[in-house]
Amino acid sequence: MSTKVPNIKLKIDPRNLQIQTFTVEKLLEPLIIQVTTLVSCPQNPSSKKKGRSKRARVLLASVEEATRNLLDKGEKIAKEAVVFEEELHAALADVRKESQALRVSAEAFTSDPCSLPRRQAVVPAARSLLAAVTRLLVLADMVDVAYLLQHLTVFQRTFESLRNVSSKSDLQKTYQKFQKDLENLDYLAYKRQQ
């Protein structure tokens, strides 16, 4: 297989991200639910301080765990990637930075859950984290697509060589390679659908 890297330029505007694939939507769903539950609040919270909010701390821990899991998977993808390496590492750094910012603002909020300014400070941090996570997932998806396209190119070359064989022994060898490439491409397509 050729290790030729496709020349793909990346243009992502983080202010205008639209989730258009079911996979990315499903991966983001738990994080979105946890973050929106963490930051949703009534306009006029109670002025009575009833103690520290345990629910917000639990939700914050869930967001941190989901982010850690995502970063672990992202780091594995970045190690194996031959395309978008720099972009992946930048996206991982961005997710770490935004996760830390959310943690700081959320801890301030959980220490005083009745403070509306502290509660409102969590919202932009949560949105920034979601945008960073979305960017990372989109990049990981693009790496997957580039890998699939690379295998498709190998398959197409084998198919072309099958058309141009001149002897029966060459035909058998090329056909066996064609079958292996087809099985590999079929497996990768199946894996992507999963």
Side-chain angles (χ1 to χ4, degrees):
M1 178 175 67
S2 171
T3 57
K4 184 179 175 185
V5 177
N7 186 13
I8 302 170
K9 291 292 180 190
L10 182 64
K11 293 181 183 178
I12 292 180
D13 180 9
R15 293 175 298 266
N16 189 22
L17 290 174
Q18 294 179 1
I19 302 169
Q20 295 183 356
T21 65
F22 183 71
T23 305
V24 172
E25 189 176 321
K26 280 297 171 193
L27 286 170
L28 282 176
E29 191 174 308
L31 189 59
I32 290 170
I33 291 169
Q34 291 165 354
V35 169
T36 52
T37 304
L38 177 67
V39 298
S40 63
C41 66
Q43 286 298 324
N44 298 315
S46 171
S47 61
K48 296 179 184 177
K49 292 192 178 189
K50 299 175 186 174
R52 304 209 187 282
S53 175
K54 292 180 183 171
R55 185 170 180 222
R57 290 188 191 281
V58 171
L59 289 169
L60 178 59
S62 297
V63 170
E64 288 176 346
E65 182 182 345
T67 306
R68 262 193 313 275
N69 291 340
L70 186 75
L71 285 169
D72 289 343
K73 290 178 183 176
E75 287 169 359
K76 288 177 187 174
I77 291 169
K79 285 179 185 176
E80 296 172 3
V82 289
V83 293
F84 304 130
E85 285 180 81
E86 292 175 20
E87 290 89 349
L88 278 168
H89 288 293
L92 285 166
D94 195 31
V95 170
R96 280 188 200 94
K97 182 185 85 167
E98 297 302 339
S99 176
Q100 178 66 18
L102 177 63
R103 188 177 64 74
V104 168
S105 62
E107 283 177 353
F109 158 65
T110 56
S111 68
D112 186 11
C114 297
S115 169
L116 191 58
R118 287 186 179 183
R119 194 178 283 248
Q120 288 173 337
V122 175
V123 175
R127 285 184 182 146
S128 296
L129 176 60
L130 287 174
V133 165
T134 302
R135 179 173 173 238
L136 178 62
L137 290 173
V138 167
L139 280 168
D141 190 55
M142 291 174 74
V143 167
D144 193 35
V145 168
Y147 188 63
L148 194 58
L149 288 173
Q150 184 180 17
H151 283 283
L152 180 62
T153 304
V154 169
F155 172 75
Q156 287 173 333
R157 275 193 229 124
T158 305
F159 180 71
E160 287 298 320
S161 65
L162 187 62
R163 294 163 118 196
N164 301 325
V165 293
S166 58
S167 69
K168 188 174 182 176
S169 63
D170 285 346
L171 178 64
Q172 287 177 333
K173 288 178 188 176
T174 308
Y175 187 72
Q176 287 174 347
K177 183 169 177 6
F178 176 77
Q179 280 184 313
K180 283 183 182 179
D181 289 346
L182 182 60
E183 287 171 5
N184 190 22
L185 190 61
D186 186 48
Y187 173 72
L188 290 172
Y190 168 76
K191 220 169 116 178
R192 178 155 173 78
Q193 286 177 338
Q194 295 300 314

Short mmCIF file of all heavy atoms in Angstrom, two decimals, residues 6-35:
data_model
loop_
_atom_site.label_atom_id
_atom_site.label_comp_id
_atom_site.label_asym_id
_atom_site.label_seq_id
_atom_site.Cartn_x
_atom_site.Cartn_y
_atom_site.Cartn_z
N PRO A 6 -2.73 12.25 1.10
CA PRO A 6 -3.53 13.14 0.27
C PRO A 6 -3.32 14.59 0.69
O PRO A 6 -3.17 14.89 1.86
CB PRO A 6 -4.96 12.70 0.52
CG PRO A 6 -4.93 11.67 1.57
CD PRO A 6 -3.53 11.35 1.89
N ASN A 7 -3.30 15.47 -0.27
CA ASN A 7 -3.12 16.90 0.00
C ASN A 7 -4.49 17.53 0.23
O ASN A 7 -5.17 17.89 -0.71
CB ASN A 7 -2.39 17.56 -1.16
CG ASN A 7 -2.05 19.00 -0.87
OD1 ASN A 7 -2.13 19.44 0.28
ND2 ASN A 7 -1.66 19.74 -1.88
N ILE A 8 -4.86 17.66 1.50
CA ILE A 8 -6.17 18.19 1.85
C ILE A 8 -5.96 19.40 2.75
O ILE A 8 -5.27 19.33 3.75
CB ILE A 8 -7.01 17.13 2.61
CG1 ILE A 8 -7.16 15.88 1.76
CG2 ILE A 8 -8.35 17.69 2.99
CD1 ILE A 8 -7.76 14.70 2.49
N LYS A 9 -6.54 20.51 2.39
CA LYS A 9 -6.47 21.71 3.21
C LYS A 9 -7.72 21.78 4.08
O LYS A 9 -8.82 21.50 3.64
CB LYS A 9 -6.39 22.97 2.34
CG LYS A 9 -5.09 23.10 1.60
CD LYS A 9 -3.96 23.35 2.55
CE LYS A 9 -2.64 23.48 1.81
NZ LYS A 9 -1.51 23.49 2.67
N LEU A 10 -7.52 22.18 5.31
CA LEU A 10 -8.60 22.20 6.29
C LEU A 10 -9.05 23.63 6.53
O LEU A 10 -8.24 24.50 6.82
CB LEU A 10 -8.12 21.59 7.60
CG LEU A 10 -9.10 21.49 8.72
CD1 LEU A 10 -10.23 20.55 8.32
CD2 LEU A 10 -8.44 20.97 9.95
N LYS A 11 -10.34 23.86 6.39
CA LYS A 11 -10.91 25.17 6.67
C LYS A 11 -12.12 24.98 7.56
O LYS A 11 -13.17 24.56 7.11
CB LYS A 11 -11.31 25.88 5.38
CG LYS A 11 -10.13 26.23 4.51
CD LYS A 11 -10.57 26.94 3.25
CE LYS A 11 -9.37 27.23 2.37
NZ LYS A 11 -9.72 27.87 1.13
N ILE A 12 -11.95 25.27 8.85
CA ILE A 12 -13.05 25.14 9.80
C ILE A 12 -13.25 26.48 10.49
O ILE A 12 -12.30 27.08 10.98
CB ILE A 12 -12.74 24.06 10.86
CG1 ILE A 12 -12.72 22.69 10.23
CG2 ILE A 12 -13.77 24.11 11.98
CD1 ILE A 12 -12.43 21.58 11.20
N ASP A 13 -14.46 26.95 10.50
CA ASP A 13 -14.81 28.15 11.23
C ASP A 13 -15.51 27.70 12.51
O ASP A 13 -16.66 27.25 12.47
CB ASP A 13 -15.74 29.04 10.39
CG ASP A 13 -16.12 30.32 11.11
OD1 ASP A 13 -15.55 30.59 12.19
OD2 ASP A 13 -17.00 31.03 10.61
N PRO A 14 -14.83 27.78 13.66
CA PRO A 14 -15.43 27.26 14.90
C PRO A 14 -16.69 27.99 15.32
O PRO A 14 -17.46 27.49 16.13
CB PRO A 14 -14.33 27.43 15.95
CG PRO A 14 -13.26 28.23 15.33
CD PRO A 14 -13.50 28.30 13.86
N ARG A 15 -16.93 29.16 14.78
CA ARG A 15 -18.16 29.89 15.13
C ARG A 15 -19.35 29.40 14.32
O ARG A 15 -20.48 29.73 14.61
CB ARG A 15 -17.95 31.38 14.92
CG ARG A 15 -16.95 31.99 15.87
CD ARG A 15 -16.72 33.45 15.53
NE ARG A 15 -16.17 33.60 14.19
CZ ARG A 15 -14.89 33.68 13.89
NH1 ARG A 15 -14.01 33.64 14.85
NH2 ARG A 15 -14.48 33.82 12.65
N ASN A 16 -19.08 28.63 13.27
CA ASN A 16 -20.16 28.19 12.39
C ASN A 16 -20.09 26.68 12.19
O ASN A 16 -20.04 26.21 11.07
CB ASN A 16 -20.07 28.92 11.05
CG ASN A 16 -21.29 28.66 10.19
OD1 ASN A 16 -22.34 28.29 10.69
ND2 ASN A 16 -21.14 28.83 8.91
N LEU A 17 -20.05 25.92 13.29
CA LEU A 17 -20.00 24.47 13.18
C LEU A 17 -21.42 23.92 13.11
O LEU A 17 -22.27 24.28 13.91
CB LEU A 17 -19.28 23.87 14.39
CG LEU A 17 -17.79 24.12 14.46
CD1 LEU A 17 -17.25 23.59 15.77
CD2 LEU A 17 -17.08 23.46 13.31
N GLN A 18 -21.64 23.05 12.17
CA GLN A 18 -22.93 22.40 12.06
C GLN A 18 -22.70 20.90 12.08
O GLN A 18 -21.88 20.38 11.32
CB GLN A 18 -23.62 22.79 10.76
CG GLN A 18 -23.98 24.24 10.69
CD GLN A 18 -24.64 24.59 9.38
OE1 GLN A 18 -24.85 23.74 8.53
NE2 GLN A 18 -24.97 25.84 9.21
N ILE A 19 -23.39 20.23 12.97
CA ILE A 19 -23.26 18.78 13.06
C ILE A 19 -24.15 18.19 11.99
O ILE A 19 -25.36 18.31 12.04
CB ILE A 19 -23.67 18.28 14.46
CG1 ILE A 19 -22.81 18.95 15.52
CG2 ILE A 19 -23.57 16.78 14.54
CD1 ILE A 19 -23.29 18.73 16.92
N GLN A 20 -23.51 17.53 11.02
CA GLN A 20 -24.29 17.01 9.91
C GLN A 20 -24.20 15.49 9.78
O GLN A 20 -24.74 14.93 8.85
CB GLN A 20 -23.83 17.67 8.60
CG GLN A 20 -24.11 19.15 8.60
CD GLN A 20 -23.74 19.79 7.29
OE1 GLN A 20 -23.21 19.17 6.40
NE2 GLN A 20 -24.04 21.06 7.18
N THR A 21 -23.51 14.84 10.70
CA THR A 21 -23.47 13.39 10.63
C THR A 21 -24.06 12.81 11.90
O THR A 21 -23.91 13.36 12.98
CB THR A 21 -22.03 12.86 10.45
OG1 THR A 21 -21.28 13.17 11.62
CG2 THR A 21 -21.36 13.45 9.23
N PHE A 22 -24.71 11.70 11.74
CA PHE A 22 -25.37 11.03 12.85
C PHE A 22 -24.33 10.59 13.90
O PHE A 22 -24.57 10.68 15.09
CB PHE A 22 -26.15 9.83 12.32
CG PHE A 22 -26.93 9.10 13.37
CD1 PHE A 22 -28.06 9.68 13.94
CD2 PHE A 22 -26.55 7.85 13.80
CE1 PHE A 22 -28.78 9.01 14.92
CE2 PHE A 22 -27.26 7.18 14.76
CZ PHE A 22 -28.37 7.76 15.32
N THR A 23 -23.18 10.11 13.44
CA THR A 23 -22.14 9.62 14.35
C THR A 23 -21.65 10.74 15.26
O THR A 23 -21.56 10.56 16.48
CB THR A 23 -20.96 9.04 13.55
OG1 THR A 23 -21.46 8.04 12.68
CG2 THR A 23 -19.92 8.45 14.46
N VAL A 24 -21.31 11.88 14.69
CA VAL A 24 -20.83 13.00 15.49
C VAL A 24 -21.92 13.47 16.45
O VAL A 24 -21.67 13.73 17.62
CB VAL A 24 -20.35 14.16 14.58
CG1 VAL A 24 -20.02 15.39 15.39
CG2 VAL A 24 -19.16 13.72 13.75
N GLU A 25 -23.14 13.51 15.98
CA GLU A 25 -24.26 13.92 16.82
C GLU A 25 -24.41 12.97 18.01
O GLU A 25 -24.58 13.39 19.15
CB GLU A 25 -25.54 13.93 15.99
CG GLU A 25 -26.72 14.53 16.69
CD GLU A 25 -27.93 14.59 15.78
OE1 GLU A 25 -27.77 14.90 14.58
OE2 GLU A 25 -29.03 14.32 16.28
N LYS A 26 -24.31 11.67 17.76
CA LYS A 26 -24.46 10.68 18.83
C LYS A 26 -23.30 10.74 19.81
O LYS A 26 -23.48 10.53 21.00
CB LYS A 26 -24.58 9.26 18.25
CG LYS A 26 -25.97 8.96 17.75
CD LYS A 26 -26.94 9.01 18.89
CE LYS A 26 -28.35 8.95 18.47
NZ LYS A 26 -29.30 9.28 19.51
N LEU A 27 -22.07 11.01 19.32
CA LEU A 27 -20.92 11.12 20.21
C LEU A 27 -21.02 12.36 21.10
O LEU A 27 -20.59 12.34 22.25
CB LEU A 27 -19.63 11.16 19.40
CG LEU A 27 -19.18 9.85 18.79
CD1 LEU A 27 -18.03 10.07 17.83
CD2 LEU A 27 -18.78 8.86 19.87
N LEU A 28 -21.58 13.42 20.57
CA LEU A 28 -21.69 14.66 21.34
C LEU A 28 -22.88 14.67 22.29
O LEU A 28 -22.88 15.42 23.27
CB LEU A 28 -21.82 15.85 20.39
CG LEU A 28 -20.55 16.34 19.74
CD1 LEU A 28 -20.86 17.44 18.76
CD2 LEU A 28 -19.57 16.83 20.77
N GLU A 29 -23.88 13.87 22.02
CA GLU A 29 -25.13 13.92 22.79
C GLU A 29 -24.93 13.84 24.30
O GLU A 29 -25.46 14.68 25.03
CB GLU A 29 -26.07 12.83 22.30
CG GLU A 29 -27.48 12.94 22.84
CD GLU A 29 -28.39 11.92 22.20
OE1 GLU A 29 -28.44 11.84 20.96
OE2 GLU A 29 -29.04 11.19 22.97
N PRO A 30 -24.16 12.85 24.84
CA PRO A 30 -24.02 12.79 26.30
C PRO A 30 -23.33 14.03 26.87
O PRO A 30 -23.73 14.54 27.92
CB PRO A 30 -23.16 11.55 26.54
CG PRO A 30 -23.16 10.79 25.28
CD PRO A 30 -23.50 11.73 24.18
N LEU A 31 -22.33 14.53 26.16
CA LEU A 31 -21.63 15.71 26.64
C LEU A 31 -22.54 16.93 26.62
O LEU A 31 -22.56 17.72 27.57
CB LEU A 31 -20.38 15.96 25.78
CG LEU A 31 -19.41 17.02 26.26
CD1 LEU A 31 -18.89 16.69 27.65
CD2 LEU A 31 -18.27 17.16 25.30
N ILE A 32 -23.33 17.07 25.57
CA ILE A 32 -24.26 18.20 25.46
C ILE A 32 -25.30 18.13 26.58
O ILE A 32 -25.59 19.14 27.23
CB ILE A 32 -24.95 18.23 24.09
CG1 ILE A 32 -23.93 18.59 23.00
CG2 ILE A 32 -26.11 19.20 24.06
CD1 ILE A 32 -24.44 18.41 21.59
N ILE A 33 -25.84 16.96 26.83
CA ILE A 33 -26.85 16.80 27.89
C ILE A 33 -26.25 17.18 29.24
O ILE A 33 -26.86 17.92 30.02
CB ILE A 33 -27.41 15.37 27.90
CG1 ILE A 33 -28.26 15.13 26.66
CG2 ILE A 33 -28.20 15.10 29.18
CD1 ILE A 33 -28.65 13.69 26.44
N GLN A 34 -25.03 16.68 29.53
CA GLN A 34 -24.41 16.97 30.82
C GLN A 34 -24.10 18.45 30.98
O GLN A 34 -24.35 19.04 32.02
CB GLN A 34 -23.14 16.13 30.99
CG GLN A 34 -23.44 14.66 31.16
CD GLN A 34 -22.22 13.80 30.97
OE1 GLN A 34 -21.16 14.26 30.60
NE2 GLN A 34 -22.38 12.51 31.24
N VAL A 35 -23.57 19.07 29.93
CA VAL A 35 -23.23 20.48 30.02
C VAL A 35 -24.47 21.35 30.13
O VAL A 35 -24.53 22.26 30.95
CB VAL A 35 -22.34 20.91 28.82
CG1 VAL A 35 -22.20 22.42 28.76
CG2 VAL A 35 -20.98 20.26 28.92
#
